[in-house]
Amino acid sequence: MGFFDEIGKVAIGSRLRMLTDKVTEDAAQIYKLYHIDMQPKWFPVFYALTRQREKTITELAKAIGHSHPSVSKIISEMLKKGYVKENKDKTDGRRNVISLSKKGMKISAALEDQLIDVNAAIEEISAQAQHKLWEAIGEWEFLLEQKSLLRRVTEKKKERDGANVEIIDYKSEHQEVFRSLNVEWISKYFTMEESDYKALDDPQGYILDNGGFILVALYGGEALGVCALIKMNDGEYDFELAKMAVSPKAQGKNVGFLLAKAIIEKAKSLGAAKIYLESNTILKPAINLYHKLGFQKVPGKPTPYARCNIQMELNLN
Amino acid sequence: MGFFDEIGKVAIGSRLRMLTDKVTEDAAQIYKLYHIDMQPKWFPVFYALTRQREKTITELAKAIGHSHPSVSKIISEMLKKGYVKENKDKTDGRRNVISLSKKGMKISAALEDQLIDVNAAIEEISAQAQHKLWEAIGEWEFLLEQKSLLRRVTEKKKERDGANVEIIDYKSEHQEVFRSLNVEWISKYFTMEESDYKALDDPQGYILDNGGFILVALYGGEALGVCALIKMNDGEYDFELAKMAVSPKAQGKNVGFLLAKAIIEKAKSLGAAKIYLESNTILKPAINLYHKLGFQKVPGKPTPYARCNIQMELNLN
DNA sequence: TAAATTTGCGTAACTGGTTACGTAATTAAT
DNA sequence: ATTAATTACGTAACCAGTTACGCAAATTTA
């Protein structure tokens, strides 16, 4: 147990499994004690059948919370022992209606005594324990039903990553990063074009001096993401969101989202009403991100970029 | 869940298993979220190795509470991925010393972030729950360690069976039962002898009128066990415990023990100091019972019974 | 009424663990 | 110095569940 104390509650799964094993391991012995020739795994099926005379395989599976092949196997074993009988449904040839045989019902009577004693034993343990396992399980089932562990972990990750990400204004020292991060992804998926070089080689002249902005994302102090807001001369849009790039090192750390969120805030604070962007549908994570931020697809506009096959806009009002 | 509410806490095992499944099912996804190429089942091994540079298969198994073949399999999988390396111990050729490879250590660093988030997520669930699962598991582990479920159930069964058993004095109406129960086991394991017929055909004249006693055990009102105390003329012993018989129908219901206990009390109340009995070692449950009651083996005495190969006495002072 | 979809369920293959067993290396006992 | 017992650990077979798949019957849709 020392191991699990040290490792923390991450081990809750392993620990649950071990307790389950411990609670379960005696089951076979207990049946022997009552001279009941039955396998522990048959019990749920058995019990369900005592409650309701007849049930099909699928009904049984649903009732006891197993998959149907599991029930199918159990039934074929119980059939061999003669505890149940099967009966093809006359009106629906697919259904295999299972019921307890005479022999099965006799066993089921013997089981009742056992149930009483096992229940009493478990109640005894419960009474000796300060913390209520039964109720705790119920609560956990409910809480996990509401929000899965995966979702909870995802949220925690976002929170933690967010705290590590700092979004700052572009300074001339970032020019190298701004260029290299963009070259990296563009040349990975497409090829660099004329307009790329213009913006990347001279962000000061091409973007900032024209009334645009650039933000830089620091992760643990290192610049791992960049994003630009380019002033547009078109009457419809105020800015184009462009040259967004996140280092593979920071992938999955929510950097893109935080960066985009920040740049949208920036645009808002500058009184912008509509933002435009161009992208390509093979960049699925990017498209998803834009979608999540509220961008909507718009019909084709003229563009200098060959790689553009989708255009989107975000209305800020 | 309805099923389990209805069936009662007997289902604690199934319920634990389901919760375990639920907690565990997301594990693989969570690793993916962190871009860690690892199987959930490797985690305990991984973790144990980050804690202590080197460990043998068996040490790992002990540390994480698995069987050694399980660890053996996991290691061979991790080996294939290049996360660990093995090293035959120079001084002990049997030992296979495992340690993390460079690649393994890199993964282990990535794991740390994940651990933080998973722990946070689980703490969040814990905080939302009123009942403390973690502590409850700890208590159950302790309580089951102290006394296994099997032993607890056995005790409950004895209690319940005991309450159903009533020990009464022999009356003439019991002669038939007294005879038939004894004939049943004697002729099953041995053959009836002259002395048997004397006692069984005329318990009144042969046992009671000579200062002996007979007790009858009723189970649910039915006479299913008998036991006699025969007055002895020998200077050493006061009574012989004999003609104890329990119906197979009442087997495992503690009837024998209660009957013997009662007959010993009877002897005590009559001022007896020493009880004697004869038996045969092939009757193992009977010998165990006598032993449990405090009877000790004594060297051979003259006996009319061919089937006797062990003699025992109980000192009542 | 024919075609497409859904449902019931059996079989097969997989999974993450176990116990059983065999073998080689080491240690203890005579 | 043997012999016997113990230990480390790999392989095989099993176990109680699962998912994947396919077939046939029933139901829905066109």
Side-chain angles (χ1 to χ4, degrees), chain A residues 273-304:
Chain A
K274 255 183 163 181
I275 304 179
Y276 170 77
L277 68 79
E278 304 187 331
S279 187
N280 188 296
T281 46
I282 70 161
L283 304 170
K284 288 200 189 100
I287 303 291
N288 280 341
L289 173 61
Y290 300 142
H291 187 78
K292 203 161 73 180
L293 288 161
F295 279 90
Q296 310 261 332
K297 191 177 183 321
V298 288
K301 313 252 172 202
T303 162

Side-chain angles (χ1 to χ4, degrees), chain B residues 249-305:
Chain B
K249 272 198 274 182
Q251 222 98 76
K253 297 207 188 310
N254 216 23
V255 170
F257 181 82
L258 294 167
L259 206 46
K261 205 78 190 162
I263 212 116
I264 290 167
E265 280 312 306
K266 192 79 174 183
K268 256 189 200 161
S269 75
L270 294 166
K274 256 181 163 179
I275 304 179
Y276 170 78
L277 68 77
E278 302 186 332
S279 186
N280 189 297
T281 45
I282 70 162
L283 305 169
K284 288 203 188 96
I287 302 292
N288 279 341
L289 173 61
Y290 299 143
H291 187 79
K292 203 161 72 180
L293 289 161
F295 278 89
Q296 309 262 330
K297 190 176 183 319
V298 289
K301 315 250 171 203
T303 163
Y305 291 105

Side-chain angles (χ1 to χ4, degrees), chain A residues 174-187 200 245:
Chain A
H174 297 126
Q175 200 244 305
E176 185 42 42
V177 182
F178 181 66
R179 189 182 196 285
S180 64
L181 285 179
N182 272 292
V183 170
E184 192 175 347
W185 76 262
I186 295 172
S187 50
L200 296 176

Side-chain angles (χ1 to χ4, degrees), chain A residues 17 56-58 68-69 72 94-96:
Chain A
R17 193 180 57 74
T56 66
I57 299 281
T58 311
H68 88 258
S72 186
R94 296 166 305 175
R95 308 173 83 220
N96 186 0

